[in-house]
Amino acid sequence: MPSPKIKTEVKLLMSEAIIAKKAEQVAIVADKMKAAASIVVVDSRGLTVDQDTVLRRNLRESGVEFKVIKNSILTRAAEEAGLEKLFVGPSAVAFSNEDVIAPAKVISEFAKGAEALEIKGGVVDGAITSVEEINALASLPNKEGMLSMLLSV
């Protein structure tokens, strides 16, 4: 049988490994936040499995990454990225590195049919935006639509 001293040392090594893993996850999420053109934060509790699957598929088709991240990791990453005010309570995050409008458009459209999905706010080009601003952004045409409108003028 291992001695109590060895058990304690093993526990310390395991906790140090877990802390290092969590710090790595925080750094990855913070980098995603800093690099994103836009972020939409939602509370997706209460969605059915089918609704969640449809939402994820719609976001993926639009080139948006959707993640449910542990609160502790998300909060620390938000502090590191300077966005701590936005992440209060359980949150799922949609990241888009290219199209600023895509996450807002897909989530706002989906939220019309799914009452359980609550938009909390977002980030556009590093600035925190409100739910109203996310909904206004969702009403804009996508990048291709804007370009065609510009070309028609």
Side-chain angles (χ1 to χ4, degrees):
M1 239 181 174
S3 70
K5 183 177 179 183
I6 292 175
K7 285 183 179 179
T8 304
E9 289 176 10
V10 169
K11 285 182 183 179
L12 285 174
L13 289 174
M14 287 176 54
S15 66
E16 288 174 7
I18 291 170
I19 290 169
K21 177 93 171 147
K22 287 184 178 183
E24 180 183 334
Q25 290 174 338
V26 167
I28 290 169
V29 173
D31 288 343
K32 283 184 183 194
M33 287 179 180
K34 291 174 187 174
S38 69
I39 300 170
V40 175
V41 181
V42 298
D43 182 352
S44 61
R45 291 178 298 169
L47 288 181
T48 66
V49 173
D50 291 337
Q51 289 175 321
D52 187 57
T53 302
V54 170
L55 176 61
R56 288 174 184 271
R57 183 180 332 116
N58 293 347
L59 288 165
R60 196 173 28 255
E61 288 171 357
S62 297
V64 178
E65 182 180 1
F66 187 70
K67 296 278 183 187
V68 176
I69 303 168
K70 285 182 71 170
N71 287 342
S72 59
I73 292 171
L74 191 59
T75 305
R76 289 188 181 114
E79 287 173 3
E80 198 172 300
L83 305 170
E84 59 272 357
K85 294 178 184 176
L86 188 59
F87 302 97
V88 178
S91 301
V93 186
F95 299 97
S96 178
N97 292 336
E98 297 169 13
D99 190 354
V100 175
I101 298 171
K105 187 175 276 307
V106 172
I107 289 175
S108 290
E109 188 64 35
F110 186 82
K112 291 176 185 174
E115 294 176 12
L117 186 70
E118 176 192 349
I119 300 172
K120 295 173 139 185
V123 178
V124 176
D125 291 327
I128 295 177
T129 58
S130 66
V131 176
E132 293 79 22
E133 292 169 320
I134 294 295
N135 289 329
L137 188 63
S139 67
L140 294 173
N142 63 10
K143 186 177 179 180
E144 292 78 24
M146 289 182 154
L147 287 173
S148 66
M149 288 171 44
L150 179 66
L151 290 174
S152 69
V153 174

